[in-house]
Amino acid sequence: MAIAAQETDDATNKPRFCLPDLFQDHGVEKIYHLQPGPLETDCKSLIYICRPQINYMKYIAEHIHTHTKDSRSGPYTYSLFFVPRRTALCEKVLEDEGVFGEITKGEYHLDLIPLEDDLLSLEWDSTFKELYLDQDTTSIYYAAKALMRLQGIYGWFPRILGKGDYSKALCDMMLRMRREMAVDDLDASQTTQMSQTIDSLIIIDRSVDMVTPLCTQLTYEGLIDEIFHIKNSFVEVDAALAGAAPAPSGSGTASSGSSAAKKKKVPLNGGDKLFGELRDLNFAVVGGLLNKVAKRINADYEERHNAKTVPQIRQFIGKMGTLAAEHQSLRLHTSLAEQIMEYTRSDDFNRILEVQQNVVAGIATSKEPEYIEEMINKQVPLVQVLRLLCLYSLVNNGVKPKQFEFFKKEILEAYGFEHIQTLENLRRLGLLTKQVTTKNPYSLVRRSLSLIVDEVNEHAPNDISYVYSGYAPLSVRLVQCVVQRGKNQPGGGGVKGQGLAGGNGWKGFEDVLRMLPGRTFDEKQRVDDGQPMSTKSKLDRIMNNDVLKNEHRSNGQPRISLVFFLGGCTFTEVSATRFLASQEGGQRDFVICTTQILNGNTLMESLVQKVPDLHATS
Amino acid sequence: LLLMESFQLKDNIERVNKIKASLRLYQDDKEHTFEAKAVEESIKLLQTQVQLEKDYAQPFTGLSISSTVYKLITINQSNRATKVRGDFKMPDKRFWWIKLRALVEIRDWDGVATL
């Protein structure tokens, strides 16, 4: 009999873990959340499943210490599983705590967690900060491992494209792992075939496109994330809002029952049909759709009056179940939408949005800095101020020196001097910089990739820009460049459905790509590569390469492109990528991988210097 | 180099010393004149706050300049607030915003009317 003490406190609580049934099937008696303080339990066998983080090690050590002191409670056995792998650092902590020998240790290789049919995530929340600020490349290793595993299952990806220095590092690491595999175990590397279904992997580095996450997301799912913060595909809302009855797919909610009574966790995923329909839409149209669905459900209910004969009634009863579920989810989404509506109607929201739109569109007025100043004066949360300020700085390639000093001073005085460090973090990441030249790469990129689309039809979108009501996320636009080849470019062929393995890759976009930070690369993998030819990322050389014939013609099946967002992506980008797939008319599907889901707020929060509250104890 | 100031914890006197140490580091470096000035300000603020804590027996340290002024107004110490404002050369705009919010907070409608 065992107990699983699982860590949940900071967001690493994975959906898969939320299925208590699954644990129970394996004889798990109780599930505890890993937290500081002694663990009170009458079970003798404990299993810990957690991330290799030092504070978790400390908690576990504390549990063990209290147990050993308390002689009454007999011997315990401890097992500890690291997700996704053990680290020397954690083992050292356990050693120092003197509990190393008492624990059986193992690894649970849970790397890519499917959040959705087409969305995989490492759920490694701190990736962005670790990678770009601390320059800790552990997460690249995890990502490479995870992708290698995918390759092990689906075969080698014929082509790997990417943009950004860390993307390149990831790609190199994968190629190296493959060579290592060939040395270790020739058979295994030979037997793995080229992938039939996945014809390319596109890696986009977060640092390539920092503008997108800083904009306010305007899709339904994106807005939910902005306002309520979706955690591992669960969202916490007031219990009253979710309705008294259990939420749509009840299996997930049960596990959170122990957490606060007021808040209720509601799963948000494709299992909820209505949400599946709504999630990728621009919020402007959600209301109308909800109305339609409500009418339909109502009509379905009304049918009962028409049911006269017994079989008709039986048929209706049969439908009742699904109807009730639909009703339930409708209620949830209506109230969610209502709350969002309240938020989006507020003056502040609209002004921020207006400023944002002007900034990304490059319409320069003096109003934007003024508004940011006003925000500081009103003491709105720092995260919001920084988000807008960084956006402003990014788009204009820095803030004018005088303004730069002014804002820095204002922020420090209004929010405290500890933010010297915050500002330094932002500067190091290039998010908030002093303008040195007036040359502005962003405006060129914007023009050549037509990031701003003036006429947007939110009801029947024809371009990915609908997700931000006019701004097309740069990252997804890049993906589109590779896949659709110059659809929006003059003279671009836009040959749909052409095998990507033989496609032109970045060709035609060299100029644009040169203006974005980081290296561009395009590698091909072959079956017989004992030593995979690692074409150096010299673009011109690749251009001269013969077009590799797509040896494995997929037979009518949609080809899949794997899109990997290194450093996290937003829900809106996910939506936009899905939209790309829908444009391909069944020829191509996208599977999105990311290290974590983020939005502008979480992004900023990870960079803000925190000071312990001095008065908390006194 | 830059992480020094994150040690500014616990005891006020110790904090001031720590901050001063980091100040020296910043001053050594020509590129960080802004930071050096900011750190100087923060020492001044901390000293002011320690004084305020003595006078009003309420916690002040850890607050930013704006929140300090805000708090002073909410405990009906407008004059003191104005003084702090002068000490740190706070721009008018921000001061009036703070004052307005603070007065609304304590429902001092007369105060609002006389603004």
Side-chain angles (χ1 to χ4, degrees), chain A residues 417, chain B residues 12 16 40-65 68-69 72 79-88:
Chain A
F417 286 101
Chain B
N12 283 326
V16 171
E40 258 172 59
E41 289 265 280
S42 74
I43 297 173
K44 200 166 113 190
L45 174 68
L46 206 57
Q47 283 160 348
T48 319
Q49 284 170 338
V50 171
Q51 188 57 42
L52 288 173
E53 274 182 2
K54 267 187 210 146
D55 294 354
Y56 303 114
Q58 287 214 33
F60 274 99
T61 51
L63 296 178
S64 70
I65 299 181
T68 307
V69 173
L72 281 172
N79 292 336
R80 200 61 187 265
T82 318
K83 188 171 169 293
V84 173
R85 170 203 174 201
D87 287 349
F88 292 94

Side-chain angles (χ1 to χ4, degrees), chain A residues 370 373-374 376-379 404-406 408-418 420-421 423-424 427-428 609 611-612 614-615 618, chain B residues 2-3 5-6 9-10 15 26 32 34-35 38-39 41-42 45 53 59-62 64-67 88-89 91 93-94 97-98 101:
Chain A
E370 256 173 48
E373 189 192 336
E374 192 187 316
I376 297 173
N377 288 344
K378 281 192 197 159
Q379 291 260 305
F404 184 62
E405 299 284 307
F406 172 74
K408 282 208 306 193
K409 194 161 174 287
E410 287 280 293
I411 287 173
L412 292 186
E413 289 184 3
Y415 296 98
F417 286 101
E418 66 271 19
I420 294 178
Q421 190 58 43
L423 293 172
E424 173 62 20
R427 192 192 61 78
R428 284 222 309 252
Q609 180 71 28
V611 266
L614 296 169
H615 308 292
S618 62
Chain B
L2 299 166
L3 289 170
E5 74 239 275
S6 54
L9 291 168
K10 287 180 216 152
R15 267 181 86 174
Y26 273 127
H32 294 287
F34 174 81
E35 280 82 356
V39 173
E41 289 265 280
S42 74
L45 174 68
E53 274 182 2
F60 274 99
T61 51
S64 70
I65 299 181
S66 293
S67 347
F88 292 94
K89 301 193 190 68
K93 246 190 197 168
R94 183 143 49 95
W97 269 109
I98 295 168
R101 278 188 308 119

Side-chain angles (χ1 to χ4, degrees), chain A residues 422-451:
Chain A
T422 311
L423 293 172
E424 173 62 20
N425 287 348
L426 294 173
R427 192 192 61 78
R428 284 222 309 252
L429 289 170
L431 286 176
L432 183 61
T433 48
K434 188 155 48 171
Q435 198 174 55
V436 269
T437 54
T438 42
K439 230 181 84 205
N440 187 352
Y442 173 79
S443 64
L444 283 165
V445 173
R446 180 178 60 223
R447 230 171 299 137
S448 45
L449 289 179
S450 55
L451 292 183

Side-chain angles (χ1 to χ4, degrees), chain A residues 536-551:
Chain A
K536 271 282 156 251
S537 66
K538 282 278 181 62
L539 267 168
D540 17 323
R541 259 180 64 192
I542 284 163
M543 290 314 135
N544 297 331
N545 266 356
D546 279 334
V547 173
L548 197 72
K549 275 273 167 271
N550 191 359
E551 300 145 58

